[in-house]
Amino acid sequence: MLRELSAPAGARVWWVDTAAYRHTVPGSLHVLDARETARAAAFLREADRETYLCAHLALRRLLGEHLGVAPGAVRFTRGPHGAPAVADSPWRFSLAHSGAVSLVALSRAPVGVDVEALPEPGTVERVTGALHPREAHEIRAAAPADRPAAFARAWTRKEAYLKALGTGLTRGTAADHTGAGPRPARLPGWRLTDLVLPVPDTHRAALATRAGGAPDRPPGTSPPPPATG
């Protein structure tokens, strides 16, 4: 049901397959809070609802194990940019969904994870221009058959990094070069890792973790003013 993936030291990542995990849903809905329940009810497609529920039930189970509490006792809050976080805990988490698969990442430092199905060529053509100029060049320089994988590498690395920063896509997709090539780009104070998935032919995934000394705020922003009074 839950399959742990190889990840760098300081982070743990699990693969959640909706088809294999959905049987746990009916008997576990009571552990979700009001926000999660409302969000699940808002999905129009049953498949999307099942994937959301499986991911959140897995998240609560894993956090409960790490915190030493029941899954239903895990409480969530929101960060400065609206990113979800665990209330009153050093544990950080990140969730990602794509079709019937999800990833859950846990760490005691800022962490972000993303998973995406390989896009159609038309999507690559339309969206590549929204990426960092170096990424756009790397994708367009690849052979046409290799461009969907290059695009998926760039997008998952970027989303994982932006999640770890806590800004999400509000920071923009062209601001940072995370790379579209076989290896992630280097970002000062951060580590980008391409994850090895059980479905390597159809999906790509990436993890972003903070290295020692990296700031909690995004690059190019000012620190908060000192407290007064």
Side-chain angles (χ1 to χ4, degrees), residues 6 22 37 146 155 164 178 190 192 201:
S6 177
R22 62 161 59 99
T37 301
D146 296 331
W155 192 268
T178 53
W190 293 88
L192 299 177
D201 295 333

Side-chain angles (χ1 to χ4, degrees), residues 122-149:
T123 300
V124 175
E125 182 65 25
R126 290 193 304 273
V127 185
T128 292
L131 300 176
H132 188 280
R134 288 175 62 187
E135 293 163 350
H137 174 75
E138 291 164 355
I139 293 168
R140 289 166 179 154
D146 296 331
R147 289 173 190 169

